Amino acid sequence: MRRFLHCLLAVFCFSALSAQTGSITGTVSADGAPLDYATVTLKKSNYGTYSDEDGKFEFDKIPVGAYTINVSFLGYQSFDEKVVVEEGATTAMNIELMEQVGLLDEVVVTGTLKEVSRLESPVPVEVYTPAFFKKNPTPNIYEALQNVNGVRPQLNCQVCNTGDIHINGLEGPYTMVLIDGMPIVSSLATVYGLSGIPNALVERMEIVKGPASSLYGSEAIGGLINIITKNPLNAPLVSADVMATSWQEYNLDLGIKLKAGKNLSILTGANYYNYDELVDNNGDNFTDVTLQERISVFQKWNFARKSNRLLTLAGRYYYENRWGGELDWNKSYRGGDEVYGESIYTERIEFLSSYQLPTEEKLLLSTSFNSHDQNSVYGDLAYLAKQKIAFGQLTWDKQIGSHDLLLGTALRYTFYDDNTPATGGDDSNPLNQPDEIWLPGIFFQDEIVLHQQHKLLLGLRYDYNKDHGNIFTPRFAYKWSLSDQDILRLNAGTGFRVVNLFTEEHAALTGAREVVIAEQLAPEQSYNLNLNYTRKTYLPRGGFVGFELAAWYTHFTNVIYPDYETNANQIIYDNLDGRAVTKGISTNVDITLSNGLSLLLGATFMDVSTEENDIKKRQILTERFTGTWALTYQLWDHKLALDYTGNIYGPMRLPLLGELDPRAPESPVWSIQNIQLTYRGKKNVEIYAGVKNLLNWTPWKNQDFPLIARAFDPFDRGVDFDSNGNVIATETNPNALTFDPSYVYGPNQGIRGFVGVRYTLK
């Protein structure tokens, strides 16, 4: 009888305990639209799930008690809230995620070629998502980078508006641009590679400032920009973004996802941009802004394989027709000497792939290829160039105890040919010698966990080039987690860049200047030290404050230096017989509050100089300081957002044509500011409108002399030269000038309104 009572009591207690459960249900949304595949977990428990296509989630039969529910989704601030589960009750929650500008907990791959939390990475990586770039919508990624601290799109020509990307004051050839980790965009002129990438397909952008040649090889000497495209499995079914401005610029971004069978997902994106209005507000008879028409089509294939092994293929086609010049120019004048115009036809084809080998070890084979065909005329001077780059890389990723190893081998082939003396002439010339560069290399990286708070990364790369011989690039990184909120990182290493003539033409062939290669150019090398401190503070009522402070010092040898000053009619490329140094300090402050207010502030102070024959000079077109900001305020239950973005730049040393040049030797302090309203009250639809360049700033205002020298004589018919090619001052040319549109430091486009619509179907 006693045993029976004990059993009955046990059954009763078990029934009572099993009844002491409850449920949690809810929906996850953002901007008024449901979020599918958001991660929902109960902290310090084994309970976790994902939201469905309607944003709904459910935890059933959860033991009673207090929990902390966590919701996370890429591009949005992580959500945490305490919830009490009561017996037999269902707790309902409606969770609205807030857009996040600068993410500290992102999974990044650029710094170490491995997927790792940004907080855990020993290499500092900055992450920017589409939420950031939507605060100041632009027709291409090149222009969007103007609001990233320490990164500046630099125009190099007032007529054709081509340019490059500066990172911490270093010019475009020092910046490597990657798509999904592959060097698909060469540094010939990053404006071509970054224009036309459909913004609808961008998952995030990762930026590393400082040399990364030990992992990525040549060209990664100043920094990396890695554009991560969306996974077709998680991308929306349809996304579209249409924008127009009061200057009659029109831009269309389109993304479509298709499911082809059980194991194949295809993501297709297209971008079209058109600007066809003649504007000459500064009255120099030249177009203020280059007329452009471009189209880009991108497609990415994702194959489902056993054991979740990776297989992706992607390709992009890009075509652009741009011209600028005298207002009465048309195609009939192309290449002639009657009316001056700069006309550029560009065609690019790009492919990339990633294939994880079917082995027990984690082996990844990655490849990329791009072909660039440029048909350009600058007045009566033709520039016809072709470049092909093929790249392959095999990596082995292995974890052994506290050592996280990465071993890889890579091969890059670069082919370049043009119609200039740089390669001996065009194809019809029997002396034509295209430039071909083979660059094989191997690299090794060991990430060591010394302690829970200390992590060490050691790396070494070896490359071989027939012209430069053996090239070694070591790397060192140390991460010290001072606390859960504070991280200190120290990075040191070297970088290199082999000579690639196509990367040196960024300001060449513009106007009447002649390109001169002074000698057999040697490879550039750099030695870098970077100290980075990060702090993240969560606020008691939601939101957080992120703070980042970085200081760097980089020493360059064999710098390829464009000399504008020795001869006003030439650009002479030569290795600097001396050294170049870039040093500085930068800071970012990221504030997100639960009341809908977020603020991202950035500032950079730097000194970039060259020293030759004991004479130190500031680098041309490099600002002493820069600042950026992005202020967002969400109101009306997050259905309406106000964005105020902008930047400010310090004085730059400008390229003059000689001592008699009357133009200012330095630029003034200048700023571009923008404001925008975004309405998200309609399901799947966003409507946005605003004003760009609120201050209506342009570089030609408050100038006593035209920025384009001798715009009235673009073929230099009224210019006299001496026997050495130097300009002679005459009565009709007292300042000894030639036609020169390279005196440029900011965009000529003034204030303009814009309006756009985004549509997303998940």
Side-chain angles (χ1 to χ4, degrees), residues 329 333-337 339-343 377-382 511 715:
W329 185 93
Y333 296 111
R334 193 175 195 268
D337 61 357
V339 180
Y340 188 88
E342 298 187 1
S343 171
V377 293
Y378 302 84
D380 58 353
L381 181 63
F715 296 100

Side-chain angles (χ1 to χ4, degrees), residues 103-389:
L103 297 181
L104 296 177
D105 294 334
E106 276 281 2
V107 172
V108 296
V109 297
T110 306
T112 61
L113 274 180
K114 293 170 175 280
E115 288 194 352
V116 61
S117 164
R118 185 187 173 203
L119 287 176
E120 294 300 320
S121 172
V123 178
V125 181
E126 295 183 15
V127 180
Y128 297 91
T129 68
F132 173 80
F133 296 113
K134 287 179 181 178
K135 296 176 183 300
N136 178 30
T138 60
N140 57 69
I141 293 176
Y142 171 79
E143 293 182 28
L145 289 169
Q146 64 184 290
N147 286 329
V148 176
N149 183 30
V151 179
R152 181 168 67 87
Q154 168 61 46
L155 292 177
N156 293 314
C157 171
Q158 290 202 57
V159 179
C160 63
N161 288 170
T162 56
D164 52 28
I165 299 295
H166 289 204
I167 294 183
N168 285 345
L170 297 176
E171 294 187 323
Y174 299 95
T175 300
M176 174 175 278
V177 180
L178 311 161
I179 297 181
D180 290 336
M182 290 290 96
I184 201 73
V185 179
S186 61
S187 62
L188 64 97
T190 44
V191 65
Y192 299 120
L194 289 176
S195 295
I197 296 177
N199 293 335
L201 299 187
V202 177
E203 175 101 342
R204 67 184 186 274
M205 188 181 300
E206 300 178 1
I207 298 176
V208 175
K209 299 172 183 176
S213 293
S214 62
L215 274 184
Y216 293 94
S218 178
E219 297 177 12
I221 195 170
L224 291 169
I225 298 175
N226 190 6
I227 300 167
I228 310 295
T229 60
K230 291 182 178 179
N231 187 328
L233 294 174
N234 302 326
L237 288 174
V238 178
S239 61
D241 189 342
V242 182
M243 183 177 73
T245 75
S246 59
W247 278 50
Q248 298 188 50
E249 300 167 282
Y250 302 100
N251 186 75
L252 169 65
D253 269 323
L254 181 65
I256 300 174
K257 181 178 73 172
L258 296 174
K259 188 78 173 177
K262 182 179 179 181
N263 299 320
L264 175 60
S265 297
I266 303 174
L267 183 61
T268 302
N271 170 260
Y272 176 76
Y273 175 80
N274 181 275
Y275 173 67
D276 195 31
E277 289 297 311
L278 292 173
V279 176
D280 180 24
N281 289 332
N282 59 9
D284 60 5
N285 196 43
F286 272 74
T287 53
D288 288 349
V289 178
T290 302
L291 281 67
Q292 299 177 49
E293 182 177 33
R294 64 171 175 261
I295 185 169
S296 175
V297 180
F298 179 90
Q299 192 168 81
K300 185 175 184 179
W301 295 37
N302 190 88
F303 296 85
R305 300 174 60 207
K306 292 182 179 179
S307 303
N308 291 322
R309 291 190 176 95
L310 179 66
L311 174 56
T312 62
L313 303 174
R316 182 169 78 118
Y317 172 79
Y318 174 86
Y319 172 80
E320 181 183 78
N321 175 11
R322 68 165 63 200
W323 79 268
E326 294 184 276
L327 299 181
D328 52 346
W329 185 93
N330 59 55
K331 289 183 180 180
S332 67
Y333 296 111
R334 193 175 195 268
D337 61 357
E338 296 180 56
V339 180
Y340 188 88
E342 298 187 1
S343 171
I344 302 174
Y345 299 146
T346 304
E347 191 171 24
R348 285 180 65 90
I349 299 175
E350 304 168 351
F351 298 100
L352 59 88
S353 70
S354 295
Y355 174 69
Q356 186 176 346
L357 275 62
T359 60
E360 291 187 6
E361 298 294 334
K362 191 175 181 180
L363 297 170
L364 183 66
L365 177 64
S366 303
T367 64
S368 68
F369 171 81
N370 70 73
S371 174
H372 184 102
D373 193 338
Q374 185 165 322
N375 182 323
S376 309
V377 293
Y378 302 84
D380 58 353
L381 181 63
Y383 177 61
L384 310 175
K386 295 181 179 180
Q387 184 183 51
K388 294 179 173 63
I389 299 178

Side-chain angles (χ1 to χ4, degrees), residues 635-744:
L635 54 152
W636 199 12
D637 292 333
H638 299 276
K639 293 180 181 179
L640 190 66
L642 172 67
D643 295 298
Y644 172 51
T645 60
N647 50 52
I648 185 170
Y649 297 110
M652 308 177 198
R653 179 170 164 252
L654 302 176
L656 299 179
L657 295 180
E659 295 181 358
L660 299 177
D661 194 330
R663 295 175 294 182
E666 277 196 347
S667 65
V669 176
W670 56 284
S671 174
I672 300 289
Q673 301 177 26
N674 321 284
I675 195 165
Q676 174 188 242
L677 279 173
T678 304
Y679 174 69
R680 306 185 179 108
K682 298 285 187 179
K683 184 178 181 181
N684 303 329
V685 175
E686 288 184 4
I687 302 173
Y688 59 93
V691 179
K692 291 179 178 291
N693 197 354
L694 277 169
L695 304 180
N696 197 24
W697 177 89
T698 55
W700 50 268
K701 288 188 175 180
N702 302 319
Q703 296 290 327
D704 297 328
F705 198 86
L707 298 185
I708 299 181
R710 293 187 68 84
F712 59 89
D713 184 21
F715 296 100
D716 288 339
R717 291 189 175 94
V719 180
D720 293 334
F721 301 90
D722 63 19
S723 58
N724 294 321
N726 296 312
V727 182
I728 301 173
T730 64
E731 184 177 348
T732 58
N733 187 17
N735 300 115
L737 301 178
T738 60
F739 173 69
D740 175 40
S742 63
Y743 183 94
V744 58

Side-chain angles (χ1 to χ4, degrees), residues 29 163 304 312 341 394 471 512 580 632 752:
S29 60
T312 62
L394 179 65
I471 305 173
T632 298
R752 59 203 184 277

Side-chain angles (χ1 to χ4, degrees), residues 463-482:
D463 292 88
Y464 176 79
N465 177 263
K466 63 180 180 64
D467 295 322
H468 307 314
N470 303 314
I471 305 173
F472 292 92
T473 47
R475 183 190 200 190
F476 164 88
Y478 170 69
K479 172 180 168 287
W480 180 12
S481 298
L482 302 169

